[in-house]
Amino acid sequence: MKGIKKMKLNVVLVEPEIPQNTGNIIRSCAATGTRLHLVRPLGFCMDDKYLKRAGLDYLRSFEFETYEGFDDFLNKCNPKFEHTFIITRFADYTYSDAPLGDDTDYWFIFGSETHGLPERIHEIYKGH
């Protein structure tokens, strides 16, 4: 529809470890038009059978980006600080409190399943 603006959502997985979880996130991102960014090291190979099973047919057609590390991600994507949210149990507010608007890229950063986000990333986004 002409004239309607859309926000652009980005999910960033930093050092994901469990292929089934990543496969499920691929399906969710594909269904919602959300871009996925995977930050290495990954705890699995991209041809892992569990990743393929959880990602189903989406894995063949879904496009996502991979990065050699968090600095590589920051350099290539340059997400705006005010539009970037770390998803952590140590947050000061929940994602539903985030001031989202139209026609803007938003970035939601998740850490690994067992270690969460590295302390360095917490420091970058401290108080945000």
Side-chain angles (χ1 to χ4, degrees):
M1 296 174 72
K2 191 174 182 178
I4 294 179
K5 297 179 181 181
K6 285 176 39 176
M7 73 175 88
K8 298 167 196 146
L9 301 179
N10 295 273
V11 168
V12 181
L13 302 181
V14 177
E15 302 176 9
E17 300 170 320
I18 302 173
Q20 298 93 319
N21 290 350
T22 300
N24 291 330
I25 291 169
I26 286 171
R27 283 195 348 244
S28 296
C29 287
T32 60
T34 300
R35 286 180 261 166
L36 179 62
H37 307 265
L38 301 174
V39 178
R40 296 181 190 274
L42 307 179
F44 50 86
C45 295
M46 290 307 294
D47 61 354
D48 185 284
K49 68 179 181 178
Y50 298 110
L51 175 68
K52 288 180 180 180
R53 183 178 299 145
L56 300 171
D57 292 336
Y58 296 103
L59 194 55
R60 282 182 247 154
S61 60
F62 183 69
E63 293 183 29
F64 53 89
E65 298 290 328
T66 58
Y67 306 90
E68 292 306 313
F70 197 71
D71 288 334
D72 185 35
F73 161 74
L74 290 175
N75 289 331
K76 289 179 179 171
C77 294
N78 193 26
K80 291 185 178 179
F81 178 82
E82 64 273 16
H83 297 147
T84 303
F85 304 94
I86 59 173
I87 309 301
T88 172
R89 65 184 174 131
F90 303 109
D92 295 328
Y93 59 92
T94 68
Y95 71 92
S96 60
D97 294 332
L100 303 180
D102 291 337
D103 207 28
T104 302
D105 275 359
Y106 290 98
W107 305 83
F108 297 91
I109 302 175
F110 295 81
S112 72
E113 294 90 342
T114 60
H115 297 98
L117 286 167
E119 185 60 34
R120 184 173 91 78
I121 296 173
H122 280 272
E123 288 299 316
I124 291 171
Y125 295 100
K126 191 173 188 165
H128 183 66

